[in-house]
Amino acid sequence: MPLPPTEFTPLAALIGGGLIGLSSVLLMLFLGRIAGIIGVAARAMSAVAVPAADRNWRFAFLAGLLAAAPLVWLATGEPVRQTVSDNLPVMALAGLLVGFGSALGSGCTSGHGVCGLARLSPRSLVAVLTFMAAAIATVFVVRHVIG
Amino acid sequence: MRSLVGFLAGLLFGIGLIVSGMADPAKVLAFLDLFGAWDPSLAFVMGAAVLVTFLGFRLVLRRRAPVLMERFELPGTKLIDGRLLTGAVVFGIGWGIGGFCPGPAITALPLLAPGTLVFVPAMLLGLWAGVKVREARNPARGDDAAAASRP
């Protein structure tokens, strides 16, 4: 199950991170909403009445996320490189935990990690430090204790 | 118009995730593997994203209202409670196991890796369950959905 090591790519990281930040700023400027992926998804699916004006853009945002990889593929002529574990029960467990945890903690890497930190929210800082520590500890156990 | 902005913001976010390498679980796990062959790239992704957002928000939030909506909706809760911490720990464990958080997982869906095709529905199921638990324990709060203007 261990995935291959990867190269340090600081420039691509800075450019990509800048685009993510730009997206968050655009969403705040035009719609006044936080670009937190799990929050967007939760409220797009929410059974509680959300006004159409505040729901449709969420589906459009998710559609934009889904369009990104095919468009990058078309533009560069190269498939997007990635390595995903093919241990399906483990990936199902990981998905359950990520969805459940971000619902309970009211945010994920984008909501707490980007928008929350950018707003200097102590609540988000605590969330980010906590999930980082939990993730690092998990990888340590998976790769160096069990693995 | 709102949907167009939503779509473009999502597209930009997804392209950012792909360019930065966040959409690749191998890269995410290599970042989290402090005690192995550590790849610090993701710190640069987060750093750049937070910096751009910090500067952008300072400019944008000077406005009385966003361009296409009546008001800004910012999370009003400042509460650091057990729910926040438990949620973050559970999220972190899942992130450390799979190398996917929600944005990259959805972005990676069209690449059709079997692991992603299993991860995303499980994530939505977990999300649904988490929202139910939250509502059951605290029906009145609905914190982050609450409209709050500037703090």
Side-chain angles (χ1 to χ4, degrees), chain B residues 11-101:
Chain B
L11 187 62
L12 207 55
F13 204 104
I15 293 173
L17 289 172
I18 292 167
V19 169
S20 67
M22 283 277 297
D24 181 1
K27 203 155 175 70
V28 175
L29 292 177
F31 170 71
L32 295 171
D33 191 6
L34 287 187
F35 306 96
W38 189 47
D39 174 359
S41 303
L42 251 64
F44 288 68
V45 182
M46 285 286 274
V50 170
L51 184 67
V52 169
T53 307
F54 173 76
L55 296 174
F57 276 16
R58 285 180 78 92
L59 293 175
V60 167
L61 293 175
R62 281 187 197 158
R63 298 174 56 94
R64 295 180 60 87
V67 178
L68 299 175
M69 292 277 198
E70 283 176 14
R71 60 168 181 261
F72 290 108
E73 259 183 37
L74 300 172
T77 329
K78 298 213 168 11
L79 203 61
I80 297 169
D81 56 3
R83 210 188 74 188
L84 180 80
L85 296 175
T86 311
V89 168
V90 172
F91 172 82
I93 295 173
W95 192 32
I97 294 175
F100 267 143
C101 51

Side-chain angles (χ1 to χ4, degrees), chain A residues 40-66:
Chain A
V40 170
R43 257 154 272 163
M45 304 191 311
S46 171
V48 185
V50 176
D54 203 22
R55 183 192 287 254
N56 295 343
W57 74 264
R58 296 178 199 273
F59 282 112
F61 185 93
L62 295 175
L65 272 185
L66 289 171

Side-chain angles (χ1 to χ4, degrees), chain B residues 104-142:
Chain B
I106 294 172
T107 303
L109 203 54
L111 301 172
L112 302 178
T116 316
L117 294 177
V118 168
F119 183 94
V120 172
M123 178 181 84
L124 295 177
L125 189 67
L127 175 63
W128 175 82
V131 170
K132 289 286 162 217
V133 167
R134 214 170 70 177
E135 283 170 357
R137 286 172 66 189
N138 221 336
R141 210 160 94 197

Side-chain angles (χ1 to χ4, degrees), chain A residues 6-7 23 30 32 53 123 144, chain B residues 2 9 27 33 39 68 79:
Chain A
T6 54
E7 270 176 59
S23 164
F30 284 96
R123 179 174 145 87
H144 304 291
Chain B
R2 288 170 182 153
K27 203 155 175 70
D33 191 6
D39 174 359
L68 299 175
L79 203 61

